[in-house]
Amino acid sequence: MTEGLMIDAEHPWPWLEAFPEYAAAFFNGRDEDAEALLRCVLAAPATVLFGKSGLGKSSLLQAGLFPGLRQERLLPVYVRLAHESVTACASAQIARRLEEEIRRTQDVTNDFTPLAYQFRHASEPDGTEIFPLTDSLWAELHCADIDLADADGRRWHPVFVLDQFEEIFTFASDPERQKQTFYELVDLIENRIPKALAERLHADDKLYGRLNLDTQNYRFLLSLREDYLADLEEWADLIPRLGLNRYRILPMSGAQANAAVEKTGGALVTNEDAINIIHYLSQTQAADSVTHRRRRQFQVEPTLLSLMCSGLNAERSKHKKERMATGNLAAEGGLIVERFYDQAFAGMSEMLRDFVEQHLITADGVRLPYPARSVKAEKLATAEQIKTLVDKRLIRRKSLEECDRIELVHDRLAQVALQRRQESQLRKEALKQQRLRLRWWVGTAFFMGLLVIFTGFMSYATWQAKHALRGRHGDAPGRRRRVHDLRPEAGRNNKGSVQGARRPQTFPLGQHRRSSTD
C-alpha cells in the first residue's frame, strides 16, 4: 500500500502512485471496470486481473474493488509477496497480512466495520485459544468452530489480493522457492489439504471434527502485468482455477478519462480543461494514426493522465490560483513530462539512458519496440534496471508471439527521448571539439616547450664551447708578460744601466761547462 500519500480536494491526484482505498471518492472513470471485477470475484474462488503496465491495476483494486468487497461483507487483504530467501513462506506472509487487516478494522480512526474471530458456539469457555490446532493458514481458514464476524455476529470472509504477482517470475531467483510458493497456493486456491496437515489428520481423528474440509470461505485474486500471463499459464495445469475467471483492464476511453479529470478535480477544473488535457495526451505520432482510425476513439494511459493532472495542479497550488491552467499545454505539458522523464533516470547509469534513447525510438522520434532477449544478449541493460524503469512507468514489456519487447509507455515520452538524444549528441560533439582543442593546445604547448628547451640547450652548449676555448687560450697574456719580462729592456733603469740582468757566461775555447755532477 502507498505510505505517506495524502489525497484531498486540493490534491486529488496521486501523481504516479496508486489510489489508496480511503481515496475511493477521487477515483473516477473506472466504475464499469470495478463492477465487472467485483462480479468476477463473487463468481468464483479465484480471479486473475491482468493488463499492460501503467493502466492502473493497483488503483482499480484498492480504490475501485475494495469498497465494493466490504459492502458484500468480504474483507480485502492486500498482499505483495516478498520472494527473498530470508523471508517467510508465502502462506505465513498471507496469514500475517490477514491478522494485520483484522486489527486495522478495529482501529477507531478507520471507517471500517470492526471484525474479530468469534467462537461459533457460545458454550466455549473463556480463555480458550482461537487456533489451538496448528500454525497452518489452511487449517485456520477451515476451522469449523470459529467465524470471522462483526459486532452484530454477521460472518465475513477474506479475499486475498496478491498484487504485482509477476514479481514471482522476476524476483524469485531460487527455482525451489518459486515452486514452494506455487505449491502453497495450490492448496489454498484449489482447496486441497496440505500434505503435513493430511498426515496429522491420519494420526489424529479428532481433528476431523474441528475442521470443515469441504467448504472454502475465502477467495483469491491475482493481479499481474499482461506480459507475464504466459508465465502464469505454465502453472495453470496445477492450479486450474487460475485459467477460468479472468478480467483484462484496458486503457481509458475518452469518456472515462474525462470523468477521471473533471469529476476528480471538482472545482479545480472545468469541462474545457478536461477536454484540453485529454486531447493533449491523445495526440499520437503518424505511425499510430492507423490504429486510432480503426478504434475511432481516444485511448488514454491513466498513469500519464494522473501525472499530467498532478503536475498542472502543483503549478496551480504554487501560484495560489483557484483553477488549473490548461490553455498552454503545448509548452507546460511538455515540461511536466520532461521532468518525469529525467527523474526516472535519477541514480541510473548513463548507459541505461543511452539504451532508451538509442534503441527505443526511431530517428524521427517514433516509439520502437525492442526485443527483450536482445537487451540481455547485447548487455544493454540488466533485468533489474529494466524492472526499475517499468516500475517508474517509463517503459513496459509488450508480449508478442515471437518474443517480448520493451517500449516506452507513451508517444510523448518518445518525443522527450528524441530531444534528450539530440541534446546528448550536441553535448558529445561539443565535448569532442573541446577535446580536439585541448589536444591542439597541449600539442602546441608541448612543441613550444620542446623549442624552449632546445633553444636553451643550444645556448648553453654555445656558452660552454666558448668557455672551453677560453680555458685553453685564456693564459696567453700571462705568457706574453713573462716573455716581456725576460727581454733586456725590461731590466733597464732610467739611466740606461741594466739592473738584475744576468750576463751570459763565456768559456774558453775547448772548455766545457762543468756539470753539477762532476
Side-chain angles (χ1 to χ4, degrees):
M1 296 243 185
T2 304
E3 300 292 341
L5 179 67
M6 181 56 65
I7 299 178
D8 52 31
E10 286 294 310
H11 310 87
W13 295 282
W15 292 88
L16 292 178
E17 301 291 342
F19 278 91
E21 185 177 358
Y22 76 82
F26 298 97
F27 181 68
N28 296 291
R30 290 292 194 184
D31 297 342
E32 294 181 1
D33 293 293
E35 293 174 0
L37 185 58
L38 177 61
R39 289 193 296 268
C40 289
V41 173
L42 296 176
T47 305
V48 174
L49 171 66
F50 65 97
K52 293 181 180 180
S53 174
L55 296 186
K57 294 184 293 296
S58 297
S59 294
L60 176 61
L61 291 173
Q62 298 180 62
L65 177 65
F66 285 7
L69 291 178
R70 295 184 189 276
Q71 292 179 3
E72 299 292 334
R73 296 205 304 273
L74 295 172
L75 175 65
V77 181
Y78 185 91
V79 183
R80 186 173 176 180
L81 293 175
H83 302 282
E84 293 80 4
S85 58
V86 296
T87 57
C89 63
S91 59
Q93 295 183 52
I94 296 173
R96 183 172 61 250
R97 285 293 299 124
L98 173 59
E99 181 182 354
E100 292 172 353
E101 285 300 324
I102 293 175
R103 286 202 305 266
R104 200 161 74 97
T105 64
Q106 300 167 359
D107 189 345
V108 294
T109 61
N110 295 320
D111 190 20
F112 297 142
T113 301
L115 302 176
Y117 278 115
Q118 301 175 4
F119 283 106
R120 183 168 299 179
H121 304 290
S123 58
E124 293 289 345
D126 294 338
T128 304
E129 295 184 36
I130 295 293
F131 301 114
L133 303 178
T134 176
D135 57 357
S136 169
L137 174 62
W138 196 97
E140 176 181 335
L141 296 172
H142 289 79
C143 281
D145 52 357
I146 61 172
D147 289 320
L148 180 64
D150 56 25
D152 297 329
R154 295 177 300 178
R155 297 179 185 176
W156 285 61
H157 304 296
V159 177
F160 302 105
V161 179
L162 277 56
D163 195 14
Q164 301 189 36
F165 191 73
E166 69 275 0
E167 292 179 346
I168 193 173
F169 305 112
T170 58
F171 282 176
S173 57
D174 184 4
E176 294 301 322
R177 173 73 182 230
Q178 185 185 81
K179 289 181 181 179
Q180 179 187 355
T181 299
F182 272 106
Y183 289 151
E184 293 177 14
L185 293 178
V186 167
D187 297 335
L188 291 167
I189 296 175
E190 297 295 331
N191 203 28
R192 300 174 186 172
I193 302 175
K195 181 179 179 181
L197 183 59
E199 294 176 352
R200 291 191 59 190
L201 289 171
H202 181 73
D204 187 358
D205 294 337
K206 293 182 180 180
L207 283 179
Y208 279 105
R210 303 293 302 276
L211 296 177
N212 192 341
L213 304 178
D214 297 327
T215 61
Q216 186 175 4
N217 296 322
Y218 58 90
R219 288 171 169 80
F220 269 85
L221 188 153
L222 275 60
S223 174
L224 74 163
R225 295 208 310 264
E226 186 174 299
D227 43 300
Y228 286 94
L229 197 59
D231 297 278
L232 186 66
E233 289 291 347
E234 297 181 3
W235 295 91
D237 291 339
L238 191 64
I239 316 177
R241 286 178 174 175
L242 295 181
L244 301 177
N245 189 31
R246 295 181 177 180
Y247 186 80
R248 185 188 187 194
I249 184 174
L250 297 172
M252 280 184 165
S253 64
Q256 289 176 317
N258 187 282
V261 177
E262 188 174 0
K263 291 182 65 177
T264 300
L268 304 179
V269 294
T270 64
N271 180 259
E272 182 181 357
D273 295 327
I275 293 175
N276 290 339
I277 294 172
I278 295 169
H279 180 70
Y280 173 77
L281 292 177
S282 300
Q283 292 177 346
T284 59
Q285 299 290 336
D288 290 337
S289 60
V290 176
T291 302
H292 279 278
R293 285 198 299 269
R294 183 174 69 250
R295 292 177 179 172
R296 297 294 181 183
Q297 64 177 359
F298 290 145
Q299 286 197 335
V300 180
E301 298 276 356
T303 299
L304 282 180
L305 181 64
S306 179
L307 172 67
M308 184 63 59
C309 292
S310 298
L312 292 173
N313 188 50
E315 289 296 315
R316 177 203 64 81
S317 178
K318 178 180 178 182
H319 295 91
K320 298 181 179 179
K321 296 182 178 180
E322 295 182 355
R323 189 169 62 85
M324 296 192 311
T326 63
N328 190 25
L329 285 182
E332 297 178 5
L335 293 176
I336 294 173
V337 178
E338 287 178 19
R339 285 195 293 267
F340 164 70
Y341 180 88
D342 293 332
Q343 290 172 0
F345 289 104
M348 309 295 286
S349 66
E350 191 67 23
M351 184 178 68
L352 181 62
R353 187 166 190 149
D354 288 341
F355 159 68
V356 173
E357 296 171 358
Q358 299 296 331
H359 296 88
L360 298 189
I361 58 173
T362 62
D364 54 351
V366 178
R367 279 190 297 171
L368 181 65
Y370 197 81
R373 60 190 178 192
S374 298
V375 176
K376 181 179 180 181
E378 299 173 14
K379 298 181 179 180
L380 299 174
T382 64
E384 183 179 356
Q385 289 174 329
I386 293 297
K387 185 183 184 306
T388 299
L389 293 185
V390 170
D391 291 341
K392 290 183 177 181
R393 306 291 194 258
L394 183 70
I395 63 176
R396 64 185 171 197
R397 294 177 68 99
K398 186 176 182 181
S399 294
L400 300 175
E401 292 184 1
E402 61 275 14
C403 68
D404 290 355
R405 293 181 179 271
I406 307 296
E407 68 174 4
L408 290 165
V409 300
H410 200 272
D411 293 299
R412 289 294 177 185
L413 293 174
Q415 297 175 15
V416 178
L418 176 62
Q419 180 181 347
R420 293 295 182 266
R421 182 173 69 184
Q422 294 171 345
E423 294 173 354
S424 177
Q425 291 173 347
L426 291 176
R427 287 195 303 270
K428 291 179 180 179
E429 183 63 26
L431 183 60
K432 180 180 178 181
Q433 295 298 327
Q434 183 179 1
R435 289 176 177 173
L436 289 176
R437 289 194 296 269
L438 180 60
R439 289 179 181 176
W440 186 87
W441 282 109
V442 171
T444 302
F446 181 74
F447 174 77
M448 294 299 295
L450 288 179
L451 184 60
V452 170
I453 293 174
F454 177 77
T455 303
F457 176 77
M458 294 301 298
S459 300
Y460 176 75
T462 302
W463 176 83
Q464 197 173 32
K466 290 181 179 180
H467 182 73
L469 182 62
R470 189 180 302 116
R472 289 196 298 270
H473 303 288
D475 57 347
R479 288 199 299 272
R480 285 197 296 271
R481 285 194 297 271
R482 289 193 295 272
V483 172
H484 177 75
D485 292 342
L486 292 176
R487 289 180 349 201
E489 294 80 3
R492 294 182 181 275
N493 57 14
N494 294 333
K495 296 181 180 182
S497 60
V498 179
Q499 297 179 352
R502 186 177 179 180
R503 295 181 178 181
Q505 295 182 353
T506 59
F507 299 93
L509 185 63
Q511 294 185 0
H512 298 281
R513 180 180 181 182
R514 179 177 296 175
S515 174
S516 59
T517 58
D518 292 344

